[in-house]
Amino acid sequence: FSTTRGARVIVGEDIDYKGRKNICGDRVREARQKNRFTQEALAAKLKIEGVTMERDSLSRIEIGTRFVTDYELKAVSYTHLRA
């Protein structure tokens, strides 16, 4: 995949994510811990927001072994703001 920013073309394969499937996992974990949610509690809050996600899926997001969709990231962000 590629995208352009100004005159520069960025190709997805050239970006190093250190073997991870997402770049937001650390921030998700930090926000969850800051709000004193367990992974189970956050999964329950996400379900209330209409996003079905198991605890192990949250764990995999946090360690970077699972891709995160835009709507999942939005729901996680919204849930953290409503702590």
Side-chain angles (χ1 to χ4, degrees), residues 3-17:
T3 183
T4 57
R5 286 194 188 149
R8 190 172 137 203
V9 175
I10 299 172
V11 178
E13 290 78 14
D14 292 340
I15 299 172
D16 181 17
Y17 294 120

Side-chain angles (χ1 to χ4, degrees), residues 56-80:
D56 68 315
S57 294
L58 275 170
S59 175
R60 291 182 20 232
I61 288 170
E62 291 179 2
I63 62 175
T65 60
R66 182 183 181 279
F67 290 107
V68 184
T69 64
D70 53 355
Y71 72 89
E72 290 171 333
L73 191 56
K74 181 179 179 181
V76 168
S77 173
Y78 180 71
T79 301
H80 287 319

Side-chain angles (χ1 to χ4, degrees), residues 2-55:
S2 68
T3 183
T4 57
R5 286 194 188 149
R8 190 172 137 203
V9 175
I10 299 172
V11 178
E13 290 78 14
D14 292 340
I15 299 172
D16 181 17
Y17 294 120
K18 300 178 183 172
R20 298 179 68 142
K21 293 184 178 179
N22 69 61
I23 59 173
C24 65
D26 291 335
R27 304 277 313 264
V28 168
R29 181 179 55 256
E30 289 168 9
R32 177 181 59 77
Q33 291 173 338
K34 180 180 177 184
N35 286 290
R36 298 181 179 174
F37 291 151
T38 63
Q39 290 173 339
E40 237 173 59
L42 180 55
K45 283 185 153 287
L46 289 171
K47 188 170 186 177
I48 292 168
E49 299 300 326
V51 176
T52 302
M53 185 178 297
E54 302 295 326
R55 187 213 54 82

